[in-house]
Structure formats: C-alpha cells, structure tokens
Amino acid sequence: MSGDTAPAAAVRPAGTGGRGRWRLVMLALLTLLAACAKPDDRQTVTFWVMGYEGEIVARMMPEFEREHPHIRVDLQKLPWLSAHEKLLTAFAGDSLPDVSPIGNTWIPEFAVLDALEPLDEEIAATQGFDAGDYFPGVWDSGVVDGRTYAVPWYVETRLPFYRTDLLRKAGIDEPPASWDEWRAAMAAIKQAAGPGNYAILLPLNEFEPLLSLAVQQPEPLLRDDGRYGNFRSAGFRQSLSFYREMFDQGWAPAVTNNQISNVWDEFGKGFYSFYISGPWNIAQFKERLPAAQQGDWMTMPLPGPQGPGASLANGTSFVVFRGSRHKAAAWELIRWFSQPDVQVRFHTMTGELQPRRSPWRTPALAEDVHARAFRDQLERAVPTPKVPEWERIATEMRLIGELVANRRMTVDEAAEELDRRADRILEKRRWMLDQARTAGATR
C-alpha cells in the first residue's frame, strides 16, 4: 500500500542535512590545515633521570628546548632504587635511552658491557668545553682505560661535619688537619663529653667512613689491573688500624645509624661531635637543628695521615649510550647542562655540588660557609676502583669493618679476609682479562 512508503522529501541520505554538511566543511578545513602545517622534524632525545633531580630537570627542559628548537626531549623519571636494574634490563632488551646520568660507580660496568659511547671526540670538538675546569679526581671517574665515557653532572664527596662549640669546650680552637691532631681532638672531646657521649659517629651500616680513610693511602685498593684485592697492603692496614682505634678508645660507639633516633637530633644533643657525611646534610642540619644551634656547627676537610687528606669522588655523570640514534643531539643536552651558569642554577634548585671550579666562584657557592670545605676537599677527591664488581667489594668492606669495630676480628685477620673475598668476587674478571690477553697474543 502507498501508505507504507514515506514521502520522498522525508528520505535523505545520512550526512546530507545541515548538520552533516557542517561536518563535511569542518573535515575539509582540518584536512587543509594538516596539509599546510609544517612537519615536526625535531629530533626526539630520550632522557632518563633518577630521583628528585628528575623533577628539577623537568622544570629546566623548556629553556633547553627554546634554545635548541630542533631537539625535543622525551624525559622519563626513575626512582634511584630501581634505576640500575632498569638500565640493565633496557640494555638486554636493546631499549636504552639516548642519554642519562648514572652513578659514577656504574660507569665501569656499562663500559665493560660496551653500552657507552666514548665522548673524547665530542669534548675536543666542542668550543668552550673546558675539561681542565673540572676537579681532576671527579673528571677521572668517567675515564676507563684511557677513554672518556662520562661527563660529571654533580659530585658527592664526604668530610666531617663538626660541633664548633663542643670542640671549643674541649680546648680545640682549630679543626684538626692530620690524624694525630684528630686523635688528640677526639680524646679531648670524649673526656669533656662525659659518659654516654662520644667524639665521632661511624655508622657500622655504612662503608663510606672506612673507605674515605682507605683512599688516603698511596697504595691502590686493588692490584694487578683490578684482578686482586690489595687490602693486605701497609696503607690499608694503617687506615683500618685507625678506624679500629676510634672504637677501641671509646671515641666512637659501635652502632648503626638505625640504632639512634636520627643523626641530626643526636648531633644537636652532643651525642657525638664529628660525623663524616656528604653535602646533602648541609640542608638537613640547617633545617633540623634549632635556630639557637645554627652557629654551633661547621664542615671541615677530611684529615689525612700527614695533613689534609683525600676523599671520595662520588656523584652522578652523564653518558650517551652506544645504541643511540641521536648521539649529536644527546651530546647537546650534556653540553648544555655542563655550562657553568646552568650548573649554578641547578645547584640553587637542588643544593647539589658542582664538579667544575668556575661555578664555585659565584656567590651561590662562594658565600656558603658550610660548602667551602667541600670546595677544598674536591681538589683531593679520588674515584673508587674502576671495576664493575666494586660495589660488591665495598659491601664486604662494610661487613669486615663491623667485625673489626666489634673486636671480633683483628686488623691483620680482617685484611687477609677482605683480600680473600675480593679475590673471589674478581675471579670472573681475571678469567675475562686472561682470555682477552690470550686472544690478543694469537692474532
């Protein structure tokens, strides 16, 4: 029946009405705009950054991208606790970023894996890049087998924080500069402090205090190109003896820092007068000590056997990974962060210490009285042994040091045991080096 059929005017193809025609016009305009738009020909650099510094870098990236309009930075922030494992997993999966800051003790490991791009040519070709402006030991931490694989970003070294008022009370007018002066100061402080208080805190769950004493000796901690431990050397025994003496004399309590309320409060209470730590605690002591005590503490260079001694060149350095497809752009990122003015801004935002001398002449660093000792100490900072196994060996040093402090092992026994443990850890390294030598001899 004709009544079952709609009028012709009522039957319209979809999209041919007013609303449909508007959609078609908008689609045509968008297509035209897309055709006229310039393609994004910027290079995308993947950049992994660990810890709180990742938040700071995110705030700095717009400035970098404005100055480098041909580069876009794809920033990924990682927690420090999982960063090492994530980097190794990415290496195994051929998915490492273009560039990243990594811990200085990780550099030898990734260099052995052939995961890092040598940077010597870029450094030499970059106008105004002054490698000589870096503190020598800090720069050397990125050099493995004569090739530069890393450029320092920020540096951590360790030295004593001390209570100026308690030293004066004990009759000590100047901070000690040698071990003998330090011995005399600690003995006087312990006598003045009375029962239950001490001269120094050397937490048994940290290897850094003992290692800081050990690197002051002329003998290396490992021998034969890192094949064996060298802990039976006279120098290490001397350092270990001094370490034990501080516990034997009652100058240091045999505790971990988990066995006290916290290091800042106990420092303020006078539980100890010396505490070997890093630059991050400048801000902590400023924040946590009451206003009345802000004039009662200072930092000092680490005393050495005969005078001001060496300390550790720890910290974080930039690397370019060998698999990067944007090495030139990755180097631009490193070069930008290495500029003194950028380093000063980074210090202002984070409190991290800078690895170059020139930024230390700016008011932000030069006028910080608590940072001055770190500037002095960095001239004598030295890298740890450049073997991938070093962190495992350092853990054994901590365990052995705890036994020595608790008088469960003599200095001689500890030195021999530490050599045995180090030699066992380095067994694979010896095999690999011997294989490489044999292969080279048969060519």
Side-chain angles (χ1 to χ4, degrees):
M1 295 176 60
S2 60
D4 296 333
T5 304
V11 180
R12 294 180 299 188
T16 61
R19 184 176 299 177
R21 284 194 297 273
W22 176 247
R23 289 197 185 100
L24 289 173
V25 170
M26 290 300 298
L27 180 61
L29 286 173
L30 290 172
T31 303
L32 180 62
L33 288 172
C36 294
K38 293 181 179 179
D40 188 349
D41 57 356
R42 294 182 298 172
Q43 295 185 60
T44 298
V45 175
T46 53
F47 187 27
W48 291 4
V49 182
M50 296 77 174
Y52 168 70
E53 288 79 8
E55 302 294 333
I56 303 302
V57 166
R59 290 156 55 185
M60 301 176 76
M61 281 300 90
E63 179 183 356
F64 172 81
E65 291 185 336
R66 282 195 302 271
E67 295 180 13
H68 301 79
H70 63 291
I71 299 175
R72 187 179 76 84
V73 178
D74 180 10
L75 175 65
Q76 181 173 342
K77 293 168 280 189
L78 309 178
W80 268 113
L81 288 177
S82 61
H84 184 261
E85 181 179 355
K86 186 171 178 63
L87 285 168
L88 288 177
T89 301
F91 170 75
D94 196 24
S95 57
L96 284 165
D98 294 300
V99 60
S100 177
I102 65 174
N104 286 355
T105 57
W106 303 354
I107 296 169
E109 177 182 11
F110 284 92
V112 167
L113 292 173
D114 198 27
L116 304 182
E117 181 73 10
L119 301 175
D120 301 276
E121 292 184 6
E122 286 76 10
I123 292 168
T126 301
Q127 186 175 4
F129 191 96
D130 186 4
D133 190 35
Y134 287 79
F135 296 104
V138 178
W139 181 265
D140 187 50
S141 63
V143 179
V144 180
D145 294 331
R147 307 179 83 179
T148 305
Y149 290 100
V151 172
W153 184 24
Y154 61 86
V155 61
E156 296 173 0
T157 193
R158 303 220 173 193
L159 49 69
F161 290 65
Y162 71 100
R163 286 283 300 271
T164 56
D165 57 332
L166 297 182
L167 264 66
R168 286 194 300 268
K169 182 181 177 181
I172 309 299
D173 296 324
E174 296 289 336
S178 68
W179 285 4
D180 283 344
E181 293 177 4
W182 207 5
R183 286 184 174 98
M186 287 188 285
I189 290 167
K190 174 59 180 175
Q191 183 175 3
N197 293 320
Y198 297 87
I200 188 169
L201 179 67
L202 302 168
L204 297 182
N205 59 328
E206 297 180 358
F207 64 81
E208 287 87 356
L210 175 55
L211 179 58
S212 296
L213 299 176
V215 298
Q216 298 180 0
Q217 303 292 348
E219 298 96 333
L221 296 172
L222 304 178
R223 60 182 177 86
D224 294 352
D225 194 23
R227 286 176 166 83
Y228 298 95
N230 195 36
F231 298 101
R232 279 178 278 197
S233 66
F236 182 77
R237 289 172 190 258
Q238 184 185 25
S239 294
L240 189 57
S241 295
F242 182 41
Y243 181 77
R244 173 162 179 157
E245 181 183 359
M246 288 187 268
F247 293 97
D248 286 349
Q249 294 293 335
W251 302 335
V255 298
T256 68
N257 55 20
N258 298 321
Q259 293 175 277
I260 60 177
S261 60
N262 65 65
V263 296
W264 311 285
D265 289 348
E266 297 301 331
F267 185 71
K269 293 175 182 176
F271 180 55
Y272 56 90
S273 295
F274 292 104
Y275 176 49
I276 300 173
S277 189
W280 56 89
N281 263 324
I282 293 177
Q284 292 293 330
F285 282 125
K286 287 180 178 179
E287 176 183 344
R288 293 173 179 266
L289 291 180
Q293 285 191 305
Q294 286 301 322
D296 293 339
W297 67 279
M298 189 49 66
T299 57
M300 56 178 263
L302 193 63
Q306 307 299 327
S311 190
L312 305 172
N314 289 333
T316 301
S317 299
F318 287 113
V319 298
V320 175
F321 289 102
R322 187 177 287 276
S324 168
R325 293 179 297 174
H326 307 291
K327 293 185 176 70
W331 172 251
E332 277 299 307
L333 192 62
I334 295 176
R335 185 201 62 79
W336 187 80
F337 271 106
S338 301
Q339 296 176 118
D341 61 320
V342 176
Q343 289 189 340
V344 170
R345 291 204 299 277
F346 181 73
H347 165 77
T348 303
M349 299 167 77
T350 65
E352 302 287 4
L353 301 184
Q354 294 310 303
R356 298 181 65 163
R357 296 183 178 95
S358 52
W360 286 85
R361 295 192 287 269
T362 62
L365 283 162
E367 296 176 5
D368 187 340
V369 295
H370 297 102
R372 289 174 186 167
F374 284 95
R375 166 64 178 83
D376 184 12
Q377 190 69 69
L378 287 173
E379 292 288 357
R380 299 182 300 280
V382 295
T384 53
K386 299 174 185 178
V387 299
E389 301 86 354
W390 174 249
E391 289 191 352
R392 293 170 58 196
I393 296 172
T395 298
E396 297 300 328
M397 180 183 291
R398 179 188 65 78
L399 297 172
I400 294 296
E402 183 175 1
L403 295 175
V404 170
N406 285 299
R407 302 184 184 182
R408 294 169 56 190
M409 189 175 281
T410 68
V411 168
D412 288 344
E413 291 170 344
E416 293 175 5
E417 178 61 20
L418 194 49
D419 262 351
R420 280 193 290 270
R421 296 187 186 189
D423 292 351
R424 187 163 58 247
I425 292 171
L426 294 167
E427 183 175 6
K428 183 177 180 180
R429 174 177 174 80
R430 291 194 297 275
W431 181 84
M432 292 177 63
L433 290 175
D434 289 344
Q435 292 295 310
R437 178 186 294 176
T438 301
T442 57
R443 287 176 184 171

